[in-house]
Amino acid sequence: MKEKSIELLNKAVADELTAVHQYMYFHFHCDDQGYDLLANLFRKTAIEEMMHIERLAERILFLGGDVDMKVSKDDVEKIHDVREMLDLAIKMEESSADDYNKWANECSQNNDSASKKLFESLVDDEERHFDQYDDEIANLKKFGDNYLALQSIERSKNIGGGGE
Ligand SMILES: [Fe+2]
Ligand SMILES: [Fe+2]
């Protein structure tokens, strides 16, 4: 029971580490392009994924294992286009939620209900992340480039004190 759970929890850590790297990369590039709202969303989500790693690590150690701290993908996707960033982000959230649902069931079958609950609680978070990214995609579709332009203007206003 323990070995299988530790293996699944470490797979989740690898997934989360990859998400942290990818979202921080997106954060840097949104920030560089002046899109503060999206830059903050990616940064905030990366921090939440980091906190997922902490919860997974605590469980792994409790079960007597060790945290591998390996990434599931060596390189981040070097995407600079905001729409493509969001497309990848919702795919990542969808596949995490999918995996964690499966792994919650596996843990339950192995009589490890605490790991099952941990995975279920992560599913809630990943679905919320999915929704947040999905809302941004909807905004981009609705308002087009104006939506991005507005974010840049907001930043200029903040720097320039709103022209007052
Ligand atoms: Fe996560
Ligand atoms: Fe997530």
Side-chain angles (χ1 to χ4, degrees), residues 32-51:
D32 186 50
Q33 294 176 64
Y35 305 144
D36 284 346
L37 192 147
L38 287 167
N40 287 337
L41 178 64
F42 281 123
R43 183 175 175 277
K44 211 180 106 216
T45 315
I47 291 170
E48 284 188 30
E49 310 298 15
M50 202 189 73
M51 287 156 74

Side-chain angles (χ1 to χ4, degrees), residues 36-154:
D36 284 346
L37 192 147
L38 287 167
N40 287 337
L41 178 64
F42 281 123
R43 183 175 175 277
K44 211 180 106 216
T45 315
I47 291 170
E48 284 188 30
E49 310 298 15
M50 202 189 73
M51 287 156 74
H52 288 171
I53 296 169
E54 191 178 15
R55 290 167 68 192
L56 290 157
E58 279 166 6
R59 184 71 194 149
I60 291 169
L61 294 186
F62 177 85
L63 291 171
D66 199 8
V67 195
D68 288 343
M69 292 303 275
K70 281 189 186 127
V71 285
S72 60
K73 227 173 82 196
D74 281 335
D75 297 310
V76 298
E77 300 280 342
K78 302 263 168 69
I79 295 170
H80 301 168
D81 175 80
V82 170
R83 283 173 188 79
E84 288 175 32
M85 288 181 191
L86 289 166
D87 282 343
L88 178 64
I90 65 168
K91 268 188 217 136
M92 288 167 63
E93 296 295 340
E94 208 173 19
S95 102
S96 302
D98 238 40
D99 285 340
Y100 296 168
N101 263 313
K102 273 184 231 147
W103 299 343
N105 287 335
E106 269 194 62
C107 289
S108 154
Q109 279 159 16
N110 294 330
N111 298 321
D112 180 3
S113 71
S115 299
K116 168 191 181 258
K117 275 187 228 150
L118 172 55
F119 277 127
E120 282 174 344
S121 137
L122 297 188
V123 169
D124 289 343
D125 285 351
E126 311 307 4
E127 287 188 348
R128 181 170 44 80
H129 295 163
F130 178 96
D131 261 354
Q132 287 169 341
Y133 290 139
D134 202 39
D135 285 347
E136 295 309 317
I137 290 174
N139 283 335
L140 268 173
K141 274 196 190 128
K142 231 192 291 174
F143 306 116
D145 287 335
N146 290 338
Y147 180 62
L148 295 174
L150 262 179
Q151 293 189 34
S152 301
I153 292 167
E154 259 318 297

